[in-house]
């Protein structure tokens, strides 16, 4: 026991030293692997002797979740919801009510698109983004500052005339990002998000900001509040000011002079909603004058000066004429419903994905049934439920042979998908090339469906690596390829050789390894050869790589065909090694501050929030680990200590500069 106590203490000292080198000084002295080994040893000892665990042990900080949960924050004024108008008549009623309550005045209205996302309040202090809070129950939300900071359209610095102000708006995920995310989740065997709104909510409320960062959210603002009240006399002016300040404000808005103009706006966007890159579910109508808003007031749960004109659900009834199967990159067979063409909100739909056999069973669907289909974000609509069973219905059976190459189809016991076992199946090769070339992977513009079909069908490409041998002359001879586009594709292929390591890893198309996992693998191993040579155990050192993913990676590199592919990609000059450092969140990330004395403008709590919102840490006492002491009037012994240790002392202005410069 004595021996263990000493070893535990020694390990903790060593680990603390290396953490300081890595996180504070950014000068690691040992590899991540050596560090992990030390940590593992300490963890094992602590597990064997739980009574020796202390809260200051490095195991209590590293490896756990970055945050336990979200802090609850009260809103400056409640974030209310809106009453709905489900049709023209209800919008007329709203207009009549408003005019009655205003004693016969005819107000101006502002019509804005109702983005289907999640509302979020963002607070700014000294022109710096300081706090973001979800709607929650309307009066109390959750602090999601670190996650919101990763949204690129949310400005971190602005130039506003108020020392503190708040904006409110909608966090959304556009359709393209939503589809990419779901595709990646399919790939990793995770459940799909039902619509972009759930995806946005799921991305904002994760405990790890790097996840939010990878999910590409957008933030459109629609309220500007100072002291909890509108900053301008009209809503329209607020929107214009938001735009001037650098916030994103939806440009599809209109100042309407009465009901007719409102109805026109609603109808126009109902017809055009599919052309928007994001989902909308209606139009929000607000009385423009803040003075009139005040007179109209609120009901218990919604303002009387605004209403949501909701578009009908985009559903339709149609018949399933057949169920066909498609072969994907991993050989998975996906059943797709062939529908009797039907129009859903302006788009003719003739196919709907059914995902897998289990889904068909869950729906109780057979060929010949009439079904309810719905478009909810996905370009490919989905079957919601069976409406009426067809009189000549017949069940779907997964084919025993691949519809493309005729090879055997198998379904593993623990899997939802059936797969074609032929790794040379042309359908798989085509899908592999498309995956390789796709955006976010090797980014080869111009290498799309039509070109890949021809390349594979004519035998010009028999393996993904063959694309690096293509010559512009060969491409020019293909259908729909001019001289210029051929040269472009070749140039884009050329350019892709420079792509960073995580992209190369993703491009291999290893099952369960999407963009995110690839980054973690690159980070943990630094080279493709190290990943290829790692055992299943070792692979699990990478973040988020569990036994199932590790097994899949291990198996991939044991397969001679894949080994050959890797060698050919190496010969093509792709990047096989690269040191990856995790993106740091916030300009003060890794820095520790101590506050002392009274600052001229900021209260202690303000300063604390600002520092923490920028990723910095606050400590109560000055030590060698302190990076800056922020001193105000009547600073005491902490200032002396800082001078004694030679730690930089800064004032309030300099603190704000640090946050800005970052
Ligand atoms: S105003 C009290 N404006 O719709 C005012 N909301 O059904 C309420 N939304 O919770 C918000 N676009 O999440 C407003 N231009 C817009 C909006 C919008 C989307 C969402 C928001 C709100 C919900 C109300």
């Amino acid at each position: 026991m004595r021996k263990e106590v000493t070893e535990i203490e020694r390990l903790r000292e060593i680990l603390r030293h290396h953490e300081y080198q890595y996180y504070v000084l950014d000068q690691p002295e040992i590899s991540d692997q050596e560090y992990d080994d030390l940590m593992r040893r300490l963890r094992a000892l602590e597990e064997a002797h739980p009574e020796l665990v202390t809260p200051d042990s490095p195991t209590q900080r590293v490896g756990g979740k970055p945050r336990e949960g979200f802090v609850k924050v009260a809103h400056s004024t409640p974030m209310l919801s809106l009453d709905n108008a489900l049709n023209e008549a209800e919008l007329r009623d709203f207009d009549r009510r408003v005019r009655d309550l205003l004693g016969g005045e005819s107000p101006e209205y502002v019509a804005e698109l109702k983005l289907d996302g999640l509302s979020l309040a963002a607070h700014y202090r000294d022109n710096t983004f300081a706090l973001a809070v979800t709607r929650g129950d309307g009066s109390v939300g959750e602090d999601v500052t670190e996650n919101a900071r990763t949204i690129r359209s949310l400005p971190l610095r602005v130039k506003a005339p108020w020392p503190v102000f708040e904006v409110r708006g909608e966090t959304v995920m556009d359709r393209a990002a939503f589809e990419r995310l779901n595709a990646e989740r399919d790939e990793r065997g995770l459940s799909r998000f039902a619509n972009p709104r759930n995806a946005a909510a799921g991305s904002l409320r994760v405990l790890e900001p790097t996840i939010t960062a990878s999910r590409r959210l957008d933030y459109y603002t629609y309220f500007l509040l100072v002291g909890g009240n509108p900053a301008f006399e009209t809503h329209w002016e607020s929107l214009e000011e938001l735009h001037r300040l650098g916030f994103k404000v939806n440009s599809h808005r209109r100042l309407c002079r009465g009901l007719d103009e409102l109805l026109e706006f609603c109808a126009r966007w109902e017809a055009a909603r599919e052309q928007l890159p994001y989902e909308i579910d209606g139009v929000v109508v607000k009385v423009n004058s803040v003075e009139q808003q005040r007179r109209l007031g609120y009901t218990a749960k919604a303002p009387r000066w605004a209403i949501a004109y909701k578009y009908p659900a985009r559903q339709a009834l149609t018949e399933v004429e057949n169920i066909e199967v498609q072969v994907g990159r991993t050989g998975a067979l996906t059943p797709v419903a062939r529908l009797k063409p039907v129009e859903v909100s302006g788009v003719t739909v003739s196919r709907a994905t059914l995902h897998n056999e289990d889904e068909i069973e869950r729906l109780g669907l057979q060929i010949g049934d009439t079904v309810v289909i719905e478009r909810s974000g996905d370009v490919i609509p989905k079957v919601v439920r069976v409406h009426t069973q067809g009189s000549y219905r017949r069940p779907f059976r997964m084919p025993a042979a691949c519809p493309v190459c005729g090879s055997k189809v198998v379904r593993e016991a623990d899997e939802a998908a059936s797969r074609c076992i032929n790794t040379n199946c042309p359908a798989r090769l085509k899908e592999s090339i498309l995956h390789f070339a796709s955006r976010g992977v090797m980014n080869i513009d111009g290498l799309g469906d039509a070109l890949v079909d021809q390349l594979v069908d004519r035998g010009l490409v028999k393996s993904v690596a063959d694309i690096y041998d293509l010559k512009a002359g060969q491409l020019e001879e293909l259908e729909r390829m001019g001289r210029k586009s051929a040269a472009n594709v070749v140039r884009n292929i050329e350019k892709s050789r420079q792509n960073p390591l995580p992209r190369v890893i993703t491009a291999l198309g290893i099952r369960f390894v999407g963009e995110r996992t690839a980054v973690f693998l690159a980070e943990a191993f630094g080279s493709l050869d190290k990943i290829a040579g790692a055992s299943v155990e070792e692979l699990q050192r990478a973040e988020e790589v569990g036994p199932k993913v590790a097994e899949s990676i291990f198996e991939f590199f044991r397969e001679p065909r894949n080994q050959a592919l890797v060698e050919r990609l190496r010969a093509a000059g792709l990047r096989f090694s690269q040191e990856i450092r995790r993106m740091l969140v916030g300009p003060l990330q890794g820095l520790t501050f101590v506050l002392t004395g009274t600052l001229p403008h900021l209260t202690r709590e303000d300063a604390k929030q600002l520092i923490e919102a920028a990723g910095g840490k606050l400590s109560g006492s000055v030590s060698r680990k302190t990076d800056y002491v922020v001193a105000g009037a009547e600073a005491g012994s902490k200032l002396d200590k800082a001078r004694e240790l030679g730690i930089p002392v800064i004032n309030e202005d300099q603190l704000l500069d640090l946050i800005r410069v970052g």
Side-chain angles (χ1 to χ4, degrees), residues 331 333 398-403 406-411 417-421:
L333 271 59
M398 193 53 95
C402 170
S407 305
K408 201 168 127 188
V409 168
V410 294
R411 180 173 173 179
S418 302
R419 288 171 201 283
C420 162
I421 56 163

Side-chain angles (χ1 to χ4, degrees), residues 80-82 112-115 119 135 170 222-223 284 286 303:
L80 299 174
S81 72
L82 294 173
E112 297 162 45
L113 297 183
K114 186 171 185 305
L115 304 190
S119 45
R135 177 166 181 269
E170 203 75 357
Y222 44 72
F223 281 133
V284 175
K286 296 170 187 162

Side-chain angles (χ1 to χ4, degrees), residues 357-358 409-419 511 548:
E357 279 175 293
D358 292 350
V409 168
V410 294
R411 180 173 173 179
E412 305 283 346
D414 59 343
E415 273 211 346
S418 302
R419 288 171 201 283
R511 278 189 69 205
K548 185 168 119 181

